[in-house]
Amino acid sequence: MKSDSMRNDIWKWLSLLIIAVFSIYVTFPVKDKLRFGLDLKGGTSFTMGVDKDKLRESIIAENPAITNEVGAVEKKMQATLQGCDARIIQVVRRRIDGMGMNEPVIQGMKDHRLLVQLPGVDEDTRKAAKRSLQSAAFLEFRLTHPRNAELCNKVLSKDVCPEGYRKSASGSGYERVENYTEIASRKGYAARLASFQSPDPRYQFMLEKNGDGTYSPNFVNRKTELTGDALVSAHVERDMAGSLAISFSLNSAGAKTFSTLTRNYIAHGPKNPTDRGRQLAIILDGILVSAPVLQSEIGAHGQITGHFTAVEAQQLANDLNSGALPAPLMILAESSVAPTVGEDAINAGLVAAALGFTLVALFMFFYYWFTGLVANVALFLDIVLLPAALVLVANVLGVFAKDATMGGSGSLALPVLTMPGIAGLVLTLGMAVDANVLIFERIREEFEANRSAGIAVRNGYGRAFTAILDSNITTIVTGIILFVVGTGPVRGFAITLTAGVVLSMFTAVVVTRLLLDNFVDAGRTKPFRMLKVFSKTPKVPFVKMGKAMSLISLVVIIVSLSIFAFRLCTNRASVLAVDLTGGTSIVYSLDQAKKPAVGEIRKVMDAFDNAAVIQYQEGVGDATLLVKTGETAETVKGQTLENRDVGAYVTKLLQSKFPDAAFKQVSVDEVGSMVGADLKKSGTWAVILSLCAILIYVGFRFEFGFGLGALAALAHDALISLGLFSLCGRQVSLIVVTAILTIIGYSVNDTIVVFDRIREDLRKDQKTPFKELCNRAVNMTLSRTVITSLTTLFAVLALFCFGDGSIFDFALTMFIGIIAGTYSSLFIAMPVMIWWYRGKRPQFEKEQVQQQA
């Protein structure tokens, strides 16, 4: 019989071998095939977007009359942004390549946004890249007013000054006031400055910086005669006076235009009959660099002079060579991780995965013995076949949302592995045996009914399959939603979680069945050796306890969320991480023996931000310091800093004040208000969509009342997890929202197992009252509920022991959620379902009986 079974199953073994070979092919050599995210190998990530406020101001400044027509500015903006994404990516790529970056990732996103990832860069390179990315390098040549000198002398003679400036000591120009940066950041400033004392709407007021730090006025034509698009190359050299200058070369069309322009407006030129040449304004990124008088005709080669430092001149030449951006960009979010931290994270992730695997494998072996050994073979295959599953799932999920870093589009490359991805891997090791537990407990029941091994195995798999399918599909749906609404590391987690669930279902249903069919005597009547959680089926009155336990849950939810809401209203930075509020979060390592008190650090920070959150965080290793400030590059204080770098400024403050503490920046996360708002919105929608999807699926597979019970249980789990997590003093972040979504997708599994048994008993038992039948079903599946929760908690425990930072938060949320999910499947889902049916048997059961008759 066994040989016949082996021959019949040969195609299954062959399929398994093909999958294993493919998995090895996409994995080896590991050094070439395995790709790590920035959170694991270190580096910097920028999320950039079009600065629409600046674009709007520049459009108005160029043509103030455009505001007379309703919607004209928006139309002009749309026309400017139309098709600009490819050009932006091209320019940014040339700039990054020009800096010699190693394997940068430059990827377009929705709403004219751009993701730039720079792996393994040091602090100096990060700063240089940030400067280059924030520079528009838009070069323009324009003519000044024919009576520019006269008009400038006239405006200087008046007792008025442009906004943000005052008269210089000599009276021949202007100088900036102390709070100029704050004034210049106000809305509409560029348009107001451009219209200052302008004699004609066709001309705008502009200021040219002098060598002594003062500024000279000029009235410049709004019409652009030539742009940097005609530029071929630019390089730094010295002019005749020995000052730094940027020499440039134009293409043939540009050279022809420039030659005609300069010839026309030199002294006594065809369009300038005066004895003095017109001034040619050279404008870079909307700033007047210089306005030299045209002395002679200029052709394909010219020179930009001004007051440049060596660094500024070289940066300007690099930016001009890389091209001009079609629209101004701003950094919406920035994340940096030190390379050493990434290495530690990889090592910790590997140890966590090994610990999780060992705990689960040991438990399954000692609890189920022979069948536990079979489950462990499947668990080992889950690891071997995981690369193939990752490639498959990445391509499938890529249909819903394209992400080049995550594979897909027919690629055989492994998706980028992130720290949340490792957490997903560890978690799936705990979840992988859930299906085996359901099957083995069903096989136990068949043996207790005096079935032979062959029949017990067949019925065990058959009767457990619907519960396995339904529970895993809900987790897969959650994974799809996470991938669609998430970004970066969250998508890495979604792929790993989904791949793990799909693969574990395959190995549990197919591989273990193959092993049992081929290596167990079908005629055997002696039951498999298995331990028992309960010596006999318990008789806990779950239905009777439902109201009281639901009331307790309601009190816990109200109290915990009230405290959360109060803290959110009084100081939201203390309960929400920067990825949801916007701001800058910096983590430091330091000398533990010489760490300063939080009060001392606050005194230093108060001058910059007196609302900053400052706390030491105890992890697996040494304590680290978290400093969270609401300031970013786009805030007023952020704009006053060099290169708008909040993280670098705070680091400098702490290092200068506490040199003995040896503060070392481990990671920086800066999130602008726009990105923070988007992440909150997407996180909220992800939770709502997950709940709705599960309600629809469970309602479709069972009945609406069952779906409503599942929804109530999941809402309970999500709210309990959020409230209790916040009470632990941790900050809610995107990774916590991810954990809550995972809880929603996973904790429904226990509820589905209970509902599946209730549905089965309703079809077989026509006499037992509905409430009594439900209570019996819960007690019969109680051991399964306990075991599956326990094996998943083993994996979460491994993350607790070796996870740090956001992974610790993930593990803590999952720990709370798994316990809450086990509780809700017993005391929340079923009472709500019974309440919906008013204690009567569901209608679908009658329809089933009629169909069977």
Side-chain angles (χ1 to χ4, degrees):
M1 290 293 293
K2 288 183 182 178
S3 60
D4 292 339
S5 177
M6 187 75 79
R7 282 195 298 270
N8 293 334
D9 291 335
I10 190 67
W11 66 272
K12 296 180 182 178
W13 291 106
L14 185 60
S15 299
L16 186 61
L17 178 63
I18 291 172
I19 297 173
V21 170
F22 176 72
S23 186
I24 294 171
Y25 170 75
V26 299
T27 307
F28 289 93
V30 175
K31 184 178 179 181
D32 298 331
K33 299 292 182 68
L34 196 58
R35 300 181 297 162
F36 293 109
L38 293 187
D39 57 346
L40 291 179
K41 64 181 175 182
T44 297
S45 173
F46 299 101
T47 300
M48 309 191 69
V50 173
D51 190 338
K52 294 183 179 179
D53 288 337
K54 280 190 176 180
L55 180 59
R56 183 179 290 105
E57 285 190 14
S58 64
I59 289 172
I60 295 172
E62 185 177 341
N63 179 20
I66 197 172
T67 57
N68 297 332
E69 182 183 345
V70 178
V73 176
E74 281 64 32
K75 288 181 181 178
K76 179 68 173 176
M77 288 178 62
Q78 290 177 6
T80 303
L81 296 175
Q82 185 69 33
C84 74
D85 292 357
R87 171 79 183 280
I88 288 175
I89 292 175
Q90 182 185 40
V91 172
V92 169
R93 185 175 297 281
R94 283 204 299 262
R95 292 188 184 184
I96 296 300
D97 289 346
M99 299 180 68
M101 296 292 180
N102 182 33
E103 297 182 352
V105 174
I106 303 171
Q107 179 183 341
M109 304 168 70
K110 63 180 182 180
D111 196 26
H112 306 295
R113 292 186 182 177
L114 183 68
L115 175 67
V116 180
Q117 294 184 336
L118 310 175
V121 298
D122 57 24
E123 184 63 10
D124 291 338
T125 307
R126 181 193 70 83
K127 289 179 179 179
K130 189 172 184 178
R131 281 195 303 268
S132 180
L133 291 173
Q134 289 182 120
S135 172
F138 190 71
L139 180 65
E140 299 173 277
F141 295 95
R142 304 190 210 166
L143 292 167
T144 62
H145 195 282
R147 296 185 294 111
N148 186 55
E150 176 189 338
L151 293 171
C152 291
N153 290 331
K154 183 177 180 181
V155 75
L156 284 171
S157 66
K158 296 181 180 180
D159 194 20
V160 291
C161 296
E163 186 178 357
Y165 291 85
R166 60 176 171 239
K167 286 280 185 69
S168 62
S170 64
S172 59
Y174 302 102
E175 60 185 16
R176 291 176 174 175
V177 297
E178 287 72 13
N179 63 333
Y180 167 78
T181 304
E182 189 272 328
I183 293 172
S185 65
R186 294 172 185 169
K187 192 172 183 179
Y189 174 79
R192 293 192 298 273
L193 182 66
S195 62
F196 177 72
Q197 297 291 308
S198 177
D200 188 326
R202 294 174 299 172
Y203 293 87
Q204 70 178 97
F205 179 83
M206 301 189 79
L207 291 165
E208 175 189 357
K209 187 177 181 180
N210 301 317
D212 59 0
T214 62
Y215 294 82
S216 300
N218 284 276
F219 291 94
V220 181
N221 199 322
R222 296 180 186 274
K223 177 186 176 183
T224 301
E225 304 291 344
L226 186 68
T227 69
D229 289 341
L231 202 70
V232 173
S233 64
H235 63 276
V236 180
E237 62 179 32
R238 297 278 179 178
D239 62 14
M240 296 181 65
S243 301
L244 288 170
I246 293 91
S247 294
F248 61 86
S249 299
L250 302 172
N251 59 27
S252 57
K256 184 177 179 181
T257 301
F258 204 48
S259 176
T260 303
L261 172 69
T262 53
R263 181 174 67 252
N264 283 339
Y265 290 99
I266 59 176
H268 301 292
K271 294 186 178 182
N272 179 32
T274 67
D275 295 333
R276 187 173 185 269
R278 283 277 287 277
Q279 287 176 264
L280 181 67
I282 302 172
I283 300 166
L284 184 68
D285 297 342
I287 298 173
L288 179 61
V289 175
S290 61
V293 175
L294 291 174
Q295 304 286 358
S296 60
E297 180 180 343
I298 305 173
H301 304 283
Q303 196 175 71
I304 302 172
T305 59
H307 302 285
F308 307 115
T309 65
V311 174
E312 289 173 342
Q314 189 58 57
Q315 184 68 49
L316 174 56
N318 291 342
D319 290 345
L320 289 174
N321 282 323
S322 64
L325 291 165
L329 290 183
M330 62 188 297
I331 293 177
L332 303 176
E334 177 185 351
S335 178
S336 296
V337 177
T340 53
V341 175
E343 293 174 7
D344 293 342
I346 294 173
N347 294 332
L350 292 174
V351 174
L355 177 62
F357 177 88
T358 303
L359 290 175
V360 173
L362 287 175
F363 175 83
M364 291 299 291
F365 176 72
F366 285 110
Y367 191 86
Y368 288 109
W369 293 96
F370 171 69
T371 51
L373 184 61
V374 171
N376 287 340
V377 171
L379 189 63
F380 174 75
L381 282 175
D382 286 337
I383 298 176
V384 174
L385 304 180
L386 182 63
L390 289 172
V391 172
L392 172 65
V393 168
N395 278 279
V396 173
L397 292 182
V399 174
F400 298 95
K402 294 188 182 299
D403 189 332
T405 64
M406 295 298 162
S409 301
S411 171
L412 296 182
L414 288 169
V416 171
L417 185 62
T418 61
M419 192 62 209
I422 292 180
L425 170 62
V426 176
L427 185 62
T428 55
L429 290 175
M431 297 164 57
V433 296
D434 285 7
N436 292 124
V437 171
L438 296 180
I439 293 168
F440 296 162
E441 291 297 319
R442 282 288 193 171
I443 291 175
R444 185 205 301 271
E445 292 178 9
E446 295 297 318
F447 273 120
E448 290 173 352
N450 297 318
R451 304 291 199 309
S452 64
I455 296 174
V457 170
R458 184 188 66 199
N459 291 350
Y461 277 88
R463 291 174 178 172
F465 180 74
T466 54
I468 293 170
L469 179 66
D470 290 334
S471 59
N472 280 289
I473 283 180
T474 56
T475 307
I476 291 170
V477 167
T478 302
I480 293 172
I481 292 173
L482 275 171
F483 187 85
V484 172
V485 303
T487 57
V490 174
R491 284 185 169 171
F493 172 81
I495 290 176
T496 307
L497 177 69
T498 307
V501 170
V502 171
L503 184 58
S504 64
M505 187 163 58
F506 168 75
T507 56
V509 174
V510 177
V511 176
T512 58
R513 177 70 182 271
L514 277 173
L515 293 172
L516 291 177
D517 283 347
N518 287 279
F519 297 101
V520 172
D521 184 1
R524 166 184 173 146
T525 57
K526 182 180 180 181
F528 296 138
R529 182 182 177 185
M530 300 179 187
L531 299 180
K532 275 190 173 183
V533 175
F534 307 105
S535 58
K536 58 181 180 179
T537 303
K539 295 182 179 179
V540 182
F542 289 107
V543 172
K544 191 174 181 179
M545 298 168 62
K547 289 184 179 179
M549 302 304 284
S550 297
L551 183 61
I552 292 173
S553 290
L554 186 62
V555 171
V556 173
I557 289 172
I558 291 174
V559 171
S560 61
L561 290 186
S562 295
I563 296 173
F564 175 79
F566 174 77
R567 295 174 63 198
L568 185 65
C569 294
T570 54
N571 183 12
R572 67 174 187 163
S574 65
V575 293
L576 297 181
V578 295
D579 52 3
L580 298 181
T581 62
T584 303
S585 175
I586 315 142
V587 176
Y588 296 97
S589 63
L590 66 157
D591 186 337
Q592 300 300 309
K594 298 180 180 179
K595 68 178 185 181
V598 171
E600 295 178 35
I601 299 173
R602 182 166 299 284
K603 289 179 182 178
V604 177
M605 284 295 299
D606 276 353
F608 179 61
D609 178 14
N610 57 19
V613 174
I614 302 167
Q615 56 187 226
Y616 284 106
Q617 295 186 323
E618 301 295 333
V620 178
D622 293 332
T624 56
L625 177 71
L626 169 67
V627 178
K628 177 185 173 184
T629 169
E631 303 298 334
T632 66
E634 67 182 42
T635 61
V636 173
K637 288 184 180 178
Q639 291 183 26
T640 64
L641 306 180
E642 181 184 357
N643 297 320
R644 300 186 176 188
D645 201 328
V646 174
Y649 179 76
V650 173
T651 301
K652 185 177 179 180
L653 275 179
L654 297 180
Q655 289 177 341
S656 61
K657 183 65 177 179
F658 308 106
D660 294 339
F663 278 106
K664 185 177 180 181
Q665 185 175 291
V666 171
S667 65
V668 178
D669 286 297
E670 181 178 310
V671 180
S673 57
M674 188 185 304
V675 172
D678 287 349
L679 291 176
K680 276 191 292 186
K681 182 179 177 181
S682 63
T684 303
W685 273 110
V687 173
I688 294 172
L689 288 173
S690 295
L691 291 173
C692 291
I694 291 173
L695 170 63
I696 293 170
Y697 182 79
V698 176
F700 172 76
R701 290 286 293 161
F702 292 85
E703 271 277 321
F704 180 77
F706 287 79
L708 191 63
L711 181 66
L714 293 179
H716 164 275
D717 300 343
L719 295 175
I720 284 281
S721 300
L722 176 63
L724 295 185
F725 174 84
S726 179
L727 285 181
C728 293
R730 310 292 292 189
Q731 295 177 344
V732 178
S733 63
L734 190 60
I735 197 68
V736 174
V737 175
T738 302
I740 291 175
L741 284 166
T742 307
I743 290 166
I744 289 173
Y746 173 72
S747 68
V748 75
N749 292 7
D750 287 336
T751 303
I752 286 177
V753 170
V754 174
F755 284 173
D756 184 68
R757 177 54 67 96
I758 292 173
R759 178 175 58 182
E760 180 182 327
D761 289 352
L762 281 169
R763 292 170 177 172
K764 294 189 301 184
D765 186 344
Q766 307 299 317
K767 298 180 180 180
T768 304
F770 185 47
K771 289 185 179 180
E772 184 180 336
L773 184 144
C774 290
N775 201 77
R776 184 181 67 193
V778 176
N779 279 285
M780 290 188 69
T781 57
L782 186 59
S783 60
R784 271 160 255 194
T785 300
V786 172
I787 294 171
T788 54
S789 297
L790 190 61
T791 54
T792 307
L793 283 174
F794 284 151
V796 173
L797 177 64
L799 290 175
F800 254 130
C801 293
F802 295 97
D804 206 353
S806 62
I807 299 305
F808 181 88
D809 290 344
F810 177 87
L812 177 59
T813 311
M814 286 298 303
F815 179 82
I816 298 170
I818 290 170
I819 295 175
T822 304
Y823 170 91
S824 66
S825 67
L826 303 175
F827 296 109
I828 304 297
M830 188 174 59
V832 170
M833 181 267 290
I834 292 173
W835 166 81
W836 175 260
Y837 291 113
R838 302 295 189 267
K840 299 179 181 179
R841 297 169 79 93
Q843 185 65 31
F844 86 87
E845 178 268 333
K846 292 182 180 179
E847 295 173 356
Q848 180 69 24
V849 171
Q850 291 172 0
Q851 290 173 5
Q852 289 178 345

